[in-house]
């Protein structure tokens, strides 16, 4: 098996398909060795593995081109991205969206409405105050959080589905698609492989957003095995495993992926849009299984904010399955 690592410093995410272990097992029974590449995109390590394709390297290369194209449109920090152009636009100026950004925003707003704002792409002004990647992170000032919250609310967005434009109703409103763009990119990359290399099987692990296609040649039913990370434990320590069939995706949101401690309190990166603070739902992680990786990505964040009872009900509205790990007190 060949691995091309363009990025080696990766933090294990909440859900990882046991890619290395599973592929090693697959290789022992498959007629040919699957091919795998890892690249850094969407602020994470993305691994695509393909087997039984006419040209696995070409399949992976084409899939990554899809990912890079989407990334260029939704990058929050790239001044030339569609997202940045919207964020810099004044109120009531309709900003035209490309097909990919439009689909992400449309689905995000659908989940926002269904969740009562537990998932909200306009939380960007608040998220800007939190720096979980700093070597010495500090708590944002409560006044600053309150001020930023005045710009948060999916109701401040108007999506014109016919003209494919997005408009903000107030200056200062910004969007961040980081909470769902990874799921969409994983989904579109999988679609590219399935449409152009239908004879193959593929495993796509985008920092924990996992999609599978085809049949696992080592499994009698063709399903793949995914492991759900044990919160706050070393990578590869699984709480449980699940089975995924072709076309399914699993996405996990966990409070241990990015966090810091201050005065005995854990502050994590899943922000509750209603408070501007990390969610306090009593959940360590929630994994969502759905045919759409984009929908699963949106739902996983919303569910973690809502908690087990309300989150499960929300996921069921979308026909999704949830797997919860409670936070131990």
């Amino acid at each position: 098996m060949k691995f091309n690592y363009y990025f080696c410093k990766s933090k294990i995410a909440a859900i990882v398909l046991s890619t290395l272990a599973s592929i090693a097992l697959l290789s022992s029974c498959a007629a040919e060795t699957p091919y795998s590449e890892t690249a850094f995109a969407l602020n994470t390590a993305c691994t695509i593995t393909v087997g039984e394709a006419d040209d696995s390297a070409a399949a992976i290369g084409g899939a990554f081109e899809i990912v890079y194209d989407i990334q260029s449109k939704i990058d929050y920090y790239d001044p030339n991205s569609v997202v940045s152009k919207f964020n810099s636009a004044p109120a009531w100026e309709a900003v035209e969206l490309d097909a990919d950004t439009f689909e992400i925003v449309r689905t995000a707003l659908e989940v926002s409405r269904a969740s009562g704002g537990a998932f909200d792409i306009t939380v960007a002004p608040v998220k800007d105050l939190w720096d979980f990647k700093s070597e010495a992170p500090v708590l944002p000032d409560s006044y600053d959080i309150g001020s930023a919250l005045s710009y948060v609310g999916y109701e401040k967005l108007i999506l014109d589905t016919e003209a494919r434009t997005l408009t903000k109703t107030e200056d200062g409103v910004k969007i961040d698609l980081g909470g769902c763009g990874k799921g969409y990119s994983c989904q579109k990359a999988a679609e590219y492989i399935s449409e152009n290399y239908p004879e193959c099987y593929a495993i796509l692990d985008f920092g924990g957003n996992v999609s599978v296609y085809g049949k696992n040649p080592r499994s009698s039913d063709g399903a793949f095995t995914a492991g759900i990370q044990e919160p706050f434990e070393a990578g590869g320590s699984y709480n449980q495993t699940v089975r995924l069939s072709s076309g399914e995706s699993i996405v996990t949101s966990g409070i241990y992926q990015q966090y810091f401690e201050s005065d005995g309190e854990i502050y994590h990166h899943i922000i509750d849009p209603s408070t501007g603070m990390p969610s306090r739902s009593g959940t360590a992680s929630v994994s969502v299984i759905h045919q759409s990786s984009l929908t699963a990505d949106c739902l996983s964040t919303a569910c973690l904010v809502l908690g087990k009872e309300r989150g499960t009900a929300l996921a069921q509205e979308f026909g999704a399955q949830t797997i919860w790990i409670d936070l131990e007190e």
Side-chain angles (χ1 to χ4, degrees):
M1 173 175 22
K2 181 178 179 181
F3 287 93
N4 293 331
Y5 284 99
Y6 300 108
F7 179 76
C8 297
K9 183 182 177 183
S10 62
K11 182 174 182 179
I12 300 299
I15 167 69
V16 294
L17 183 85
S18 36
T19 308
L20 300 180
S22 294
I23 292 173
L25 292 173
L26 289 173
S27 301
S28 65
C29 298
E32 56 91 30
T33 303
Y35 181 85
S36 181
E37 289 189 9
T38 297
F40 187 71
L42 304 163
N43 201 35
T44 193
C46 300
T47 300
I48 301 178
T49 301
V50 171
E52 300 183 355
D54 291 336
D55 190 338
S56 295
I60 293 174
F64 271 127
E65 287 300 317
I66 299 291
V67 173
Y68 297 142
D69 180 57
I70 295 171
Q71 176 180 253
S72 70
K73 300 169 183 175
I74 67 173
D75 192 330
Y76 184 73
Y77 299 101
D78 183 350
N80 296 315
S81 72
V82 177
V83 165
S84 290
K85 290 177 181 178
F86 172 82
N87 288 342
S88 62
W92 300 109
E93 178 180 304
V95 176
E96 185 176 354
L97 305 181
D98 61 275
D100 290 316
T101 307
F102 171 81
E103 184 59 26
I104 297 172
V105 171
R106 186 194 66 78
T107 301
L109 290 178
E110 182 182 5
V111 175
S112 293
R113 288 188 290 269
S115 67
F119 177 77
D120 196 327
I121 57 176
T122 67
V123 77
V126 173
K127 291 180 67 176
D128 286 343
L129 301 176
W130 292 87
D131 186 2
F132 294 97
K133 297 182 180 180
S134 170
E135 293 185 1
V138 296
L139 290 175
D141 183 81
S142 58
Y143 176 82
D144 292 337
I145 291 177
S147 297
L149 280 173
S150 67
Y151 302 112
V152 176
Y154 68 92
E155 304 93 338
K156 303 178 190 294
L157 299 176
I158 300 174
L159 182 66
D160 187 325
T161 57
E162 293 186 2
R164 210 166 69 187
T165 60
L166 186 65
T167 305
K168 66 183 71 171
T169 61
E170 298 177 18
D171 287 327
V173 173
K174 297 192 296 182
I175 63 172
D176 183 353
L177 303 183
C180 47
K182 190 165 55 174
Y184 180 76
S185 299
C186 190
Q187 177 178 312
K188 296 301 288 185
E191 288 177 3
Y192 169 84
I193 292 173
S194 66
E195 291 171 1
N196 292 277
Y197 303 88
E199 75 284 356
C200 79
Y201 64 86
I203 305 162
L204 300 90
D205 184 348
F206 286 18
N209 292 50
V210 176
S211 296
V212 299
Y213 167 74
K215 292 186 177 181
N216 181 344
R218 185 179 183 275
S219 172
S220 60
D221 62 359
F224 297 84
T225 300
I228 297 177
Q229 179 71 32
E230 182 69 45
F232 301 104
E233 296 294 333
S237 300
Y238 301 131
N239 178 277
Q240 58 187 290
T241 60
V242 296
R243 303 282 283 171
L244 298 178
S245 299
S246 181
E248 287 190 318
S249 298
I250 183 167
V251 180
T252 295
S253 287
I255 68 172
Y256 56 89
Q257 294 168 315
Q258 295 181 43
Y259 71 95
F260 64 88
E261 295 185 33
S262 178
D263 295 328
E265 287 281 334
I266 291 179
Y267 296 89
H268 58 85
H269 75 297
I270 307 295
I271 303 298
D272 184 338
S274 68
T275 66
M277 297 290 291
S279 67
R280 291 287 184 262
S281 63
T283 298
S285 74
V286 56
S287 302
V288 177
I289 301 175
H290 196 271
Q291 291 290 323
S292 166
S293 182
L294 169 59
T295 300
D297 211 358
C298 297
L299 286 174
S300 66
T301 300
C303 287
L304 193 140
V305 171
L306 291 173
K308 183 181 294 186
E309 182 177 352
R310 295 166 62 199
T312 299
L314 172 68
Q316 289 175 345
E317 289 183 30
F318 288 83
Q321 176 187 347
T322 52
I323 302 169
W324 299 81
I325 300 179
D326 294 332
L327 180 63
E328 296 183 2
E329 299 296 338

